[in-house]
Amino acid sequence: MGNTKPSRTDSKTKEYAALAKKIVSIRKSLIDLETSSLIAISGVIPEQQESARNLLHYIALRRHDLRPLQSRLAQLGLSSFGRSEAHVLASIDAVLAMLDRLCGVERAELKAETTPSFISGPGLLRHHTEVLLGPGSLERQVRIMVTMPSEAASNYSLIRDLLAHGMDCMRINCAHDDRNAWQNMIQHLRQAEREVGRTCKILMDLAGPKLRTGPVEPGPAIVRIRPKRDAYGRMIAPAKIWLFDETSNLVPPVTADASLPVCPDWLKRLSPGDSIHFIDTAGRSRHLEIIRINKRAVWAQSVNSAFVVSGTILQHLPKKHKSSSRMHETRVGNIPQLDGYILLQCDDILLLTPSLQLGVPAKLDKAGRVRYPATIGCTLTAVLQDAQVGDAIWFDDGKIGGVVEKNDAEGLHIRISHAKPGGVKLRGDKGINLPDSQLHLPALTERDRADLHFVVEHADLVAMSFTNSAQDVVDLVKEIDRIDKRHLGIILKIETRRGFENLPDILLEAMRSPAIFGVMIARGDLAVECSYQRLAEVQEEILWICEAAHVPVIWATQVLENLAKNGIPSRAEISDAALGNQAECVMLNKGEHILQAVETLNGILCRMQSHQNKKSSMMRKLKLAQFFHSHS
């Protein structure tokens, strides 16, 4: 008699046993990492011990490629660990228990020390979020943070309206304004809280050691008048020129194509329909027509292009004049110099110098060859010695990129490798990123240490820019304790490749302090540091690691930026804002239409809350499903 085939039940049991064996091996790696890291977590405060162990378990879990295992578990209707961040060991033990039942075996109790459960894990994250960012609401658990513009110091209604429309946290950037302005913003918020009946946290963001370009030699003091033209050079609309009292401090309106300061007495003679004649710098005869009179300024228009400098003679010709009447003349007042820039194209050489002397474009010989490369300084000159030949370097949020070809006494000799066709203008005070270089930057600058006294006294939260290592956290906590023992909330801004790579160590160090803390994904610098192509996965990894540590995350940089600045959102940024629902807070930057941006973000987050919780899709009843009517 031949061998009988194993029953289908036996085959399935063997498969379940093999899956269980694989999961037990993974589980052992989690416990092994926890055991080998006892020294690393020994200083973690008792309230954070569960979170620290869960973080280590998640790190160990993600050292495995779980994709083949996930696929088979999902086919069996079991958890595939795709939502295990907040309760790693509990997720593994739940699957093991189910496989054991399928195999008909009993396993000895696996539970080690207390670890987060399916209930307590998410509960820890919610608790930490409430303590750090204040209570959420049933309609919207994700908080909204808004960066204050300078005008908030003098505009109480702006802050009141932001609070009324959903702002949960006010961000003051210490890189801008001064202590008087910050104090006014805070007083406005406290008054608004009483009026609106809502509380709001205050975050003050330390400027940090920002590496930026130095000043550039200014351009000429000249005003260019340009009518609007179509692609064929035909005029669409005349240029609008704003003639204003040179003794006043009037700011030209944004609708002006050009503005010219003139004598106030001469200005009073002008009437609608009058003409103004002058010779521009190119020797061309030009004229302006007066179209509207204001109290201390006059609007004129021109159908011709012209270049005007200080001292240009303007001749006033009234609309109703006699041939014998004398023209009244004046000279154009002081015109400020244009902002200087250096035009850089691919394959150009740029010298980044360890000084703040004025940057200059490349010097060319008569044949157009480069005699001396373009030069620009930088704000943190000591970091230049940390750059190595072959290191990448980026300017102005990634608009210009290059590679270090030489590092000598003159500075960094950079070959430009990334610039749009026709070149990119590099100006002063633009950010510099060296993602490949191990920069020895201080965690706190002297300015930060001085500002921290005000922050500790007035704010609920302090954000540390460019958090790169666990030592940076140590330095910040030590400085806060030196000023005051009050446990100020801490936000650790992750905006460099080094900070991203050191994130687990940074979180474990923060868990040693009684201060509650969170993480901000500063996506602007992070995109340049890690490359735009990787930003999507990098920001997801930060979300996962922080959820495993039960740490609140702030989703920041360029959220609804077009809407805040221009009043019209792009489709892409609406989708981006919806992704922010995976974080505990979303930050908006300042803009002329910031109130509209807050309203829009509030609506997006409220709607997304019923569809998604972190990575999990929420299966609420869909209206779309109700619309379907079978025709069978």
Side-chain angles (χ1 to χ4, degrees):
M1 178 180 265
N3 293 331
T4 59
K5 291 183 178 180
S7 69
R8 181 175 176 82
T9 302
D10 290 340
S11 176
K12 283 290 184 183
T13 301
K14 286 182 179 179
E15 182 184 7
Y16 299 151
L19 286 172
K21 183 179 179 179
K22 175 66 175 173
I23 294 173
V24 167
S25 174
I26 292 172
R27 188 186 193 281
K28 181 178 182 300
S29 73
L30 271 59
I31 303 303
D32 288 346
L33 181 60
E34 179 185 341
T35 303
S36 65
S37 304
L38 287 177
I39 295 177
I41 65 173
S42 60
V44 170
I45 63 174
E47 296 86 347
Q48 294 280 8
Q49 283 287 336
E50 278 191 62
S51 299
R53 283 198 293 274
N54 193 68
L55 172 59
L56 292 175
H57 294 162
Y58 187 70
I59 291 169
L61 181 70
R62 297 310 300 265
R63 288 177 174 175
H64 300 270
D65 187 350
L66 300 173
R67 289 173 292 181
L69 181 63
Q70 282 184 295
S71 177
R72 189 61 192 127
L73 289 173
Q75 291 170 26
L76 295 172
L78 299 177
S79 167
S80 64
F81 308 130
R83 279 296 298 114
S84 62
E85 282 82 5
H87 35 71
V88 181
L89 206 57
S91 299
I92 285 181
D93 288 348
V95 174
L96 273 176
M98 185 59 68
L99 288 171
D100 286 348
R101 291 194 190 98
L102 293 172
C103 292
V105 301
E106 288 188 15
R107 191 182 303 276
E109 181 62 44
L110 293 171
K111 209 73 172 178
E113 294 185 61
T114 304
T115 56
S117 68
F118 290 96
I119 303 295
S120 67
L124 282 169
L125 177 56
R126 284 194 298 272
H127 172 68
H128 294 161
T129 303
E130 285 205 9
V131 175
L132 186 74
L133 298 170
S137 65
L138 288 175
E139 297 79 17
R140 173 171 58 78
Q141 284 295 310
V142 178
R143 283 67 168 176
I144 295 176
M145 179 183 292
V146 183
T147 301
M148 292 297 101
S150 296
E151 69 174 285
S154 56
N155 187 348
Y156 165 71
S157 62
L158 172 63
I159 292 179
R160 181 201 59 210
D161 292 345
L162 287 171
L163 185 63
H165 284 85
M167 178 176 70
D168 302 292
C169 185
M170 181 174 85
R171 174 178 177 252
I172 298 174
N173 188 350
C174 295
H176 302 291
D177 305 310
D178 56 27
R179 295 190 180 194
N180 287 334
W182 305 338
Q183 184 72 64
N184 289 341
M185 293 174 189
I186 292 169
Q187 288 175 349
H188 287 164
L189 178 66
R190 295 312 182 208
Q191 180 184 346
E193 285 178 321
R194 293 189 293 271
E195 181 179 341
V196 176
R198 291 186 69 238
T199 59
C200 182
K201 295 281 187 176
I202 297 171
L203 166 73
M204 296 195 70
D205 197 330
L206 300 176
K210 182 67 172 176
L211 180 59
R212 307 186 77 85
T213 55
V216 178
E217 187 178 77
I222 193 167
V223 170
R224 184 175 182 182
I225 296 172
R226 287 183 290 186
K228 292 180 174 61
R229 300 185 184 277
D230 62 17
Y232 296 95
R234 297 173 299 210
M235 190 185 71
I236 299 173
K240 293 188 289 185
I241 301 95
W242 200 62
L243 301 166
F244 67 97
D245 178 353
E246 63 184 356
T247 65
S248 70
N249 295 318
L250 294 178
V251 177
V254 294
T255 53
D257 297 313
S259 59
L260 300 175
V262 294
C263 171
D265 291 334
W266 181 86
L267 197 66
K268 293 175 183 177
R269 296 177 177 272
L270 305 180
S271 300
D274 291 355
S275 294
I276 297 171
H277 295 261
F278 63 96
I279 304 297
D280 81 345
T281 57
R284 299 172 297 187
S285 178
R286 292 290 186 253
H287 78 275
L288 310 177
E289 180 187 354
I290 305 302
I291 55 174
R292 192 164 70 250
I293 304 294
N294 289 345
K295 187 175 181 180
R296 302 185 70 181
V298 168
W299 282 99
Q301 65 181 19
S302 174
V303 296
N304 298 117
S305 298
F307 293 86
V308 181
V309 295
S310 299
T312 296
I313 298 174
L314 303 180
Q315 296 179 321
H316 169 220
L317 184 63
K319 184 178 181 181
K320 297 180 180 179
H321 69 284
K322 301 176 182 178
S323 57
S324 59
S325 63
R326 183 171 62 88
M327 288 188 180
H328 297 281
E329 295 183 353
T330 192
R331 292 181 180 271
V332 174
N334 185 47
I335 292 175
Q337 290 181 289
L338 298 174
D339 288 339
Y341 63 85
I342 298 170
L343 184 66
L344 294 171
Q345 305 187 62
C346 285
D347 211 38
D348 284 351
I349 294 292
L350 175 67
L351 178 60
L352 185 65
T353 66
S355 74
L356 285 176
Q357 73 179 78
L358 294 178
V360 292
K363 291 182 172 57
L364 309 179
D365 61 19
K366 292 181 180 179
R369 295 182 294 248
V370 176
R371 284 182 52 232
Y372 197 77
T375 304
I376 197 167
C378 66
T379 53
L380 300 174
T381 58
V383 304
L384 296 191
Q385 63 190 18
D386 297 329
Q388 304 294 319
V389 172
D391 285 358
I393 185 167
W394 295 88
F395 299 91
D396 196 6
D397 292 333
K399 294 184 178 68
I400 303 168
V403 177
V404 177
E405 288 196 340
K406 186 167 62 171
N407 188 350
D408 58 20
E410 287 188 296
L412 300 185
H413 299 254
I414 300 158
R415 175 79 62 180
I416 302 301
S417 57
H418 177 89
K420 69 180 182 182
V424 181
K425 295 175 180 179
L426 179 61
R427 303 180 188 274
D429 199 36
K430 297 300 179 183
I432 303 174
N433 292 86
L434 285 153
D436 299 337
S437 308
Q438 290 295 315
L439 304 181
H440 295 88
L441 293 172
L444 296 169
T445 66
E446 289 306 311
R447 174 180 174 179
D448 293 337
R449 293 178 190 276
D451 289 341
L452 203 48
H453 287 267
F454 182 94
V455 175
V456 169
E457 182 181 353
H458 296 91
D460 303 298
L461 312 166
V462 60
M464 181 166 68
S465 298
F466 303 101
T467 309
N468 290 322
S469 67
Q471 185 59 45
D472 292 346
V473 180
V474 172
D475 292 343
L476 177 62
V477 171
K478 188 182 298 184
E479 188 66 17
I480 292 173
D481 284 346
R482 190 183 65 81
I483 297 169
D484 192 327
K485 296 297 182 183
R486 184 167 75 92
H487 295 148
L488 190 69
I490 293 172
I491 302 297
L492 306 169
K493 294 174 67 178
I494 304 301
E495 46 196 325
T496 65
R497 183 189 299 177
R498 187 175 162 213
F500 167 67
E501 292 171 350
N502 289 333
L503 182 58
D505 289 323
I506 289 170
L507 297 180
L508 286 171
E509 183 57 49
M511 290 176 180
R512 298 172 187 269
S513 167
I516 197 71
F517 68 98
V519 163
M520 179 184 289
I521 309 178
R523 300 184 300 164
D525 280 290
L526 198 57
V528 178
E529 289 268 331
C530 297
S531 83
Y532 285 92
Q533 295 91 332
R534 283 202 65 207
L535 178 62
E537 61 179 306
V538 165
Q539 64 190 19
E540 289 291 324
E541 287 183 36
I542 294 174
L543 285 167
W544 300 338
I545 290 289
C546 288
E547 186 179 1
H550 310 129
V551 172
V553 174
I554 300 168
W555 181 272
T557 315
Q558 295 180 326
V559 178
L560 296 179
E561 184 175 43
N562 284 322
L563 175 57
K565 290 185 175 179
N566 305 314
I568 302 176
S570 68
R571 288 185 292 272
E573 68 183 16
I574 292 293
S575 299
D576 176 66
L579 285 175
N581 191 66
Q582 297 180 62
E584 282 62 53
C585 181
V586 177
M587 189 188 91
L588 293 172
N589 269 323
K590 55 196 173 185
E592 188 177 345
H593 304 276
I594 186 60
L595 189 60
Q596 184 183 346
V598 171
E599 291 179 298
T600 301
L601 180 60
N602 181 61
I604 291 170
L605 295 176
C606 286
R607 289 180 177 87
M608 287 303 298
Q609 181 164 292
S610 62
H611 289 286
Q612 183 133 9
N613 176 29
K614 304 299 279 185
K615 289 196 298 181
S616 296
S617 295
M618 308 301 290
M619 302 293 286
R620 54 155 268 195
K621 199 161 68 171
L622 282 182
K623 288 184 179 179
L624 182 62
Q626 308 297 322
F627 294 152
F628 177 75
H629 299 286
S630 174
H631 296 288
S632 59

